[in-house]
Amino acid sequence: MDSAASGKPQAAGLHTLSKGAAVVVALLSGAPVQAHAETLRSALARAYCGNPDLNQSRAAVRVRDEDAPKALAGMRPKANIQASAGPEYANLRFPAGRDQSGQRLFQLEKYTGWPRGTTLNLQQNIFDGNRTENSVKQAESNVFAARATMRLTEQAILQNGATAYMNVLRDTAVMNLRKNNIAVLEQQLKQTQDRFQVGEVTRTDVAQAEASVAQARSEFYAAQAQLKNSIANYHQLIGDDPKSLQPGASVEPLLPTSLNDAIGVALIEHPGVVSALHQVDAAELAVKVAESALMPNLSLNAQVSNQYDSFLGIPGTRQFSAQAAAQLNVPLYQGGAEYASIRQAKEQLGQARLNADLQRDSVRASVVSSFGLLETAKASIISGQAAVKAAETALAGVREEAKVGQRTTLDVLNAQQALLNARVSLVISQRDRVVASYAVLGSIGRLSAQELDLNVTLYDPTIHYEQVKTKWWGTDTPDGR
């Protein structure tokens, strides 16, 4: 559009329209950025850094990272120490020969001791049916799927943030258009009342002008309420109330040139598809993990034990032992649970593959839909600009004709309402174009802080994964918690 918003902010820090003839806010204009003004990119940068939903999603990925060292534990040595101590009372009765009459004699002994001891157990798996190897690969696939899910959340936050930003601009412009409309209609009412006083018009004309003012005020209050709702959504997503918002720009230069190209990119790069494919990989590995229950296991076990007062509770006794042995476990039949687990894992693999197909279909539909909305918004802007110019010309003509009695007051009011509606529709179309461009970028999987070149430090999920994936011990997280 050719017209632009006035730089004078309201108390809420939002742009107002110029007084006089109603001027539409240029939501897509390249107006220079004022000092301390908020741009769409700076608002999205704040959402990227501080949105709780996105930070929660990043934390979920860090949680999933810990599955890798848990899986690696399967082939790492295990050691434990067992210690015991406690009082023991023994009353022993054992044969002591026979007396002269042949009766068996018994000797009684009573002991009070304190048996105590420690045992060190060591175990090292040599072969576990490839369970650990496949579990590690499965954990990695789940980590990659979690990262893709995080990217989905990032896309949703950025897209919703852009929508909230543009909604505030749209609702501010609509509210100011309706406010200016009240001033115009009040002036029209005054002129109608003056003409009624001199007998040029009837009471009907005055009533029509009064009704138009009342309706305009009602629409203004509704626009105010809508703006407050948009500001609340903006605060929720961005983290602060909007202040001096600058016009938003479309991201069409970042989009593929055709719908077919966009679909091709989306089927490869969209995080939903990527996550689903990693889930298929994880499900395939889950089948192998379940099958390892049918494989033999070989481990090396060692035990060192030192016991005191442990032999029948007799004080002063001591027993030291050390043992090392290889243990082979060959499963034959364990009730059938392992077979059920394998069948279950295979069904889950089939489900994961179907989900991947579903994600591809969903992504394709989203690309087609968002592309269509963008084309519609662009066409609506062109027709809307023409409609505004035509409505302005019509209003000017009707007013001139009304001065010479060729038009009624109602004709003037209708022409004024038509111009207002055209300007509101144009503002909505401008907003829709920006929002639709972000929707298309998200539908192909490229809506990211890096692609938008936001002034932020990009979050790298691989850093935490590399810090913990081979960690042997320690309860502190990499950030010190």
Side-chain angles (χ1 to χ4, degrees), residues 256-264 364 367-369 371-372:
T257 56
S258 69
L259 176 59
N260 288 334
D261 290 342
I263 293 175
R364 187 185 186 282
V367 173
V368 173
S369 175
F371 233 90

Side-chain angles (χ1 to χ4, degrees), residues 7-180:
K8 183 179 179 181
Q10 285 186 321
L14 304 173
H15 288 292
T16 61
L17 292 173
S18 301
K19 299 297 182 181
V23 180
V24 181
V25 170
L27 298 181
L28 299 178
S29 70
V33 178
Q34 303 174 0
H36 307 296
E38 185 83 280
T39 65
L40 179 52
R41 290 180 183 272
S42 66
L44 294 182
R46 288 204 289 165
Y48 179 84
C49 295
N51 185 271
D53 192 14
L54 183 53
N55 287 333
Q56 180 271 340
S57 182
R58 292 166 180 164
V61 175
R62 295 194 294 271
V63 171
R64 186 60 62 192
D65 289 344
E66 296 291 350
D67 286 342
K70 286 170 65 176
L72 281 170
M75 291 300 289
R76 288 175 176 170
K78 298 175 178 61
N80 66 79
I81 294 178
Q82 295 176 333
S84 63
E88 180 178 339
Y89 171 77
N91 190 342
L92 304 179
R93 180 175 179 268
F94 50 88
R98 296 178 182 274
D99 60 12
Q100 294 178 352
S101 63
Q103 295 292 325
R104 186 179 296 276
L105 299 176
F106 294 91
Q107 182 177 348
L108 299 178
E109 294 286 347
K110 294 182 180 180
Y111 299 99
T112 301
W114 190 268
R116 57 201 182 277
T118 57
T119 301
L120 171 64
N121 296 297
L122 299 174
Q123 180 183 15
Q124 174 62 60
N125 284 336
I126 305 301
F127 179 73
D128 64 354
N130 295 323
R131 181 183 185 88
T132 297
E133 178 183 358
N134 291 318
S135 294
V136 171
K137 293 178 180 178
Q138 181 187 19
E140 290 176 345
S141 294
N142 285 328
V143 167
F144 296 148
R147 291 179 188 176
T149 301
M150 181 192 70
R151 283 278 293 109
L152 275 176
T153 304
E154 177 185 339
Q155 286 203 153
I157 295 303
L158 294 177
Q159 182 176 336
N160 292 339
T163 301
Y165 186 101
M166 297 307 299
N167 284 349
V168 172
L169 281 179
R170 176 200 62 192
D171 295 339
T172 301
V174 170
M175 185 190 71
N176 287 317
L177 282 171
R178 298 200 181 282
K179 181 178 180 180
N180 290 340

Side-chain angles (χ1 to χ4, degrees), residues 277-463:
L277 293 178
H278 284 305
Q279 288 171 3
V280 171
D281 293 339
E284 290 177 343
L285 291 163
V287 174
K288 296 180 180 180
V289 171
E291 290 174 342
S292 67
L294 303 178
M295 302 288 287
N297 295 301
L298 178 63
S299 63
L300 181 63
N301 302 314
Q303 184 181 80
V304 178
S305 177
N306 199 6
Q307 305 291 329
Y308 296 89
D309 294 357
S310 61
F311 181 72
L312 300 178
I314 300 175
T317 61
R318 177 186 177 189
Q319 179 182 359
F320 175 83
S321 63
Q323 180 184 8
Q327 180 177 343
L328 177 64
N329 179 32
V330 181
L332 298 177
Y333 184 73
Q334 303 173 72
E338 66 275 22
Y339 299 107
S341 296
I342 294 172
R343 295 194 302 270
Q344 183 181 52
K346 290 180 177 179
E347 292 295 345
Q348 291 172 337
L349 172 58
Q351 181 184 15
R353 287 170 175 165
L354 292 172
N355 180 62
D357 293 337
L358 177 63
Q359 289 298 321
R360 292 189 187 97
D361 292 340
S362 177
V363 165
R364 187 185 186 282
S366 178
V367 173
V368 173
S369 175
S370 58
F371 233 90
L373 292 175
L374 177 59
E375 294 300 321
T376 299
K378 291 163 65 176
S380 297
I381 289 175
I382 296 175
S383 60
Q385 290 171 336
V388 169
K389 291 181 180 179
E392 289 174 344
T393 302
L395 177 59
V398 169
R399 282 175 173 170
E400 292 300 321
E401 292 172 1
K403 291 180 181 178
V404 295
Q406 294 181 347
R407 294 283 184 171
T408 64
T409 300
L410 181 59
D411 293 330
V412 176
L413 295 175
N414 288 339
Q416 174 66 28
Q417 186 65 36
L419 176 57
L420 173 64
N421 292 341
R423 285 171 171 165
V424 169
S425 296
L426 181 55
V427 168
I428 294 174
S429 297
Q430 289 179 317
R431 172 265 182 198
D432 290 345
R433 180 178 182 179
V434 176
V435 171
S437 69
Y438 275 84
V440 174
L441 192 60
S443 69
I444 65 175
R446 290 184 175 177
L447 181 54
S448 64
Q450 183 176 5
E451 189 73 16
L452 296 176
D453 194 25
L454 301 183
N455 185 23
V456 296
T457 300
L458 297 177
Y459 180 79
D460 186 359
T462 63
I463 295 176

